[in-house]
Amino acid sequence: MIVESNVALQPFNSFGIVARAQHLARIASEADLAALRADAQWRDAPKFVLGGGSNIVLTGDVKPLVLKVEIQGLRLVEDGARAWIVEAGAGENWHDTVQWTVENGFPGLENLAMIPGTVGGAPVQNIGAYGIELQDRFESLDAIDLVTGRAFTLDAAQCAFGYRDSVFKHVATGDNDFGLAGRALITRVRFRLPKPWKAVVGYLDLERRMEETGNFTPDAKDIFDWICAIRRAKLPDWRVLGNAGSFFKNPTVTPEQCADIIARDPKIVHYPMADGSIKLAAGWLIDACGWKGKSVGNAGVYEKQALVLVNRGGREDPVTGGEVMTLAKAIQTSVYERFGIRLEPEPVVV
Ligand code: EPU
């Protein structure tokens, strides 16, 4: 295993931001990590784990040693009475993994098709779309503690999944030892795909597809194809127009706060949650503040979905992390001034 120096990170982040890693190591196996630990120069060096780079904003060069996870492998671990258990290497492309499961007769991940990134990134932010979150299909994962070098396995409870959240997004501090951010490298993820398979088609966009096609009993491949088409129509392809998916989380408010906002803005898009809180569509809030299609420097708000910030400069004159964050702050300020709601960014700012 070779540690490379002064590596361009533009090809490794979906915004297409220009930044460099002082040092970068490609991790294709557990043995590569062990080799790194055996080298006194790298053993205790600060490290940054990079997956697909689809949920990060790079605001400068990365000083910690970048570990680019490239662990491959897809296999059926168990064909049980109640579920298929499938395992994927953390470096596998997420969408290709979903496609592989559907095509090989292990359905259950189809609603999560077309999400950019890698398998290892999926549990970090508990990816979700069209009625399914990763935690609904999660069995366990293997990881390596970057400080001790020890391998460990976590089940769903130990991952502490929340809405676009997990133990991997929290930093352990002195009096709070909850948090594995910067501390763990996920090597493999196992999915539990329940039998018998049931279609999850409660989402409005999917109901529309059923009406349009007259197919009210879609199989997993039909849903996979519909999700691909829906996402292609709504969300920009990062290979064409750099972006990091939804830039903010959808905020939750109390029913009282929601009633107050509805009194002023009757059209606000809101959904009741199981715990009694109300989720608001952040895209609608940003749209209502007039941001759709606007730009700050080369950072823009996507024309078809105000929740997505995009790189308007392409590969040649790309947006900077600073421009993205300036636009994000301006959006946060105007949403706060109009609705009294603080939007929280979804990507990790590096
Ligand atoms: N809306 C507007 N204007 C906009 C954008 C949205 O009025 O500019 C309205 C829409 O009309 C719709 C509502 O807001 O009524 C919600 O929009 P949409 O269905 O596009 O979903 P979203 O809440 O914006 C979330 C996830 C997406 C996921 C979709 C589908 C978050 C932060 N985002 O988006 O996830 O694909 O639902 O399940 O939860 C991501 O996390 O990167 C991501 C793309």
Side-chain angles (χ1 to χ4, degrees):
M1 188 212 38
I2 305 162
V3 175
E4 300 161 53
S5 298
N6 199 24
V7 180
L9 294 175
Q10 190 183 30
F12 303 145
N13 76 96
S14 62
F15 255 119
I17 292 171
V18 168
R20 291 189 164 267
Q22 283 185 355
H23 301 283
L24 179 144
R26 294 169 190 268
I27 304 297
S29 68
E30 285 84 345
D32 285 341
L33 263 182
L36 210 54
R37 283 189 63 76
D39 185 331
Q41 191 188 353
W42 304 115
R43 188 188 157 98
D44 300 316
K47 299 178 180 75
F48 173 77
V49 179
L50 178 67
S54 60
N55 203 45
I56 57 172
V57 183
L58 296 169
T59 57
D61 290 345
V62 182
K63 293 192 183 72
L65 171 62
V66 174
L67 303 179
K68 186 165 183 299
V69 183
E70 297 186 345
I71 300 170
Q72 304 292 301
L74 291 170
R75 66 186 182 113
L76 178 68
V77 179
E78 191 186 314
D79 191 352
R82 298 215 187 132
W84 296 277
I85 310 289
V86 168
E87 182 184 82
E92 291 284 350
N93 174 279
W94 174 261
H95 174 75
D96 294 347
T97 301
V98 173
Q99 184 160 11
W100 182 86
T101 56
V102 171
E103 285 177 355
N104 285 279
F106 321 128
L109 294 176
E110 55 283 349
N111 293 48
L112 301 176
M114 292 276 284
I115 296 180
T118 53
V119 164
V124 174
Q125 69 147 0
N126 186 21
I127 57 172
Y130 303 99
I132 292 188
E133 282 184 316
L134 181 80
Q135 64 177 345
D136 304 323
R137 298 286 181 268
F138 182 84
E139 170 71 4
S140 60
L141 61 77
D142 299 333
I144 295 195
D145 186 318
L146 292 172
V147 177
T148 65
R150 252 180 246 131
F152 60 97
T153 297
L154 298 184
D155 64 18
Q158 291 167 314
C159 288
F161 290 124
Y163 167 56
R164 296 295 189 279
D165 196 26
S166 76
V167 69
F168 301 101
K169 277 187 127 179
H170 294 261
V171 181
T173 53
D175 47 355
N176 167 26
D177 62 0
F178 169 84
L180 287 172
R183 165 119 204 198
L185 182 142
I186 296 168
T187 51
R188 277 163 234 285
V189 181
R190 282 169 295 277
F191 308 101
R192 165 172 289 269
L193 308 171
K195 288 182 190 177
W197 172 81
K198 272 199 228 90
V200 177
V201 284
Y203 230 80
L204 189 64
D205 285 328
L206 288 168
E207 282 173 2
R208 262 192 217 130
R209 289 276 150 171
M210 292 198 288
E211 301 280 346
E212 281 163 19
T213 59
N215 177 1
F216 292 92
T217 52
D219 62 18
K221 182 62 167 54
D222 295 330
I223 296 175
F224 176 89
D225 291 339
W226 289 347
I227 296 284
C228 291
I230 292 165
R231 290 187 72 105
R232 275 198 196 100
K234 250 193 190 177
L235 296 165
D237 179 346
W238 63 270
R239 281 161 285 237
V240 180
L241 187 62
N243 72 89
S246 297
F247 199 88
F248 298 100
K249 295 184 187 181
N250 284 327
T252 46
V253 294
T254 63
E256 293 74 32
Q257 282 173 301
C258 189
D260 186 45
I261 299 173
I262 290 172
R264 288 180 284 137
D265 285 279
K267 290 207 194 103
I268 189 163
V269 178
H270 59 287
Y271 318 91
M273 305 299 290
D275 65 0
S277 64
I278 313 264
K279 190 170 267 190
L280 305 178
W284 187 92
L285 298 172
I286 298 167
D287 197 359
C289 291
W291 281 102
K292 213 181 239 178
K294 295 272 167 62
S295 296
V296 168
N298 274 332
V301 180
Y302 190 50
E303 288 78 6
K304 293 189 225 163
Q305 220 310 1
L307 197 47
V308 178
L309 304 191
V310 297
N311 169 12
R312 294 222 180 278
R315 300 270 135 181
E316 298 305 313
D317 179 25
V319 70
T320 64
E323 284 172 323
V324 172
M325 296 315 292
T326 302
L327 174 60
K329 290 208 172 80
I331 290 171
Q332 282 171 313
T333 302
S334 71
V335 168
Y336 183 71
E337 282 172 358
R338 170 142 176 211
F339 297 104
I341 290 166
R342 291 187 196 281
L343 291 181
E344 196 187 323
E346 202 188 83
V348 175
V349 181
V350 184

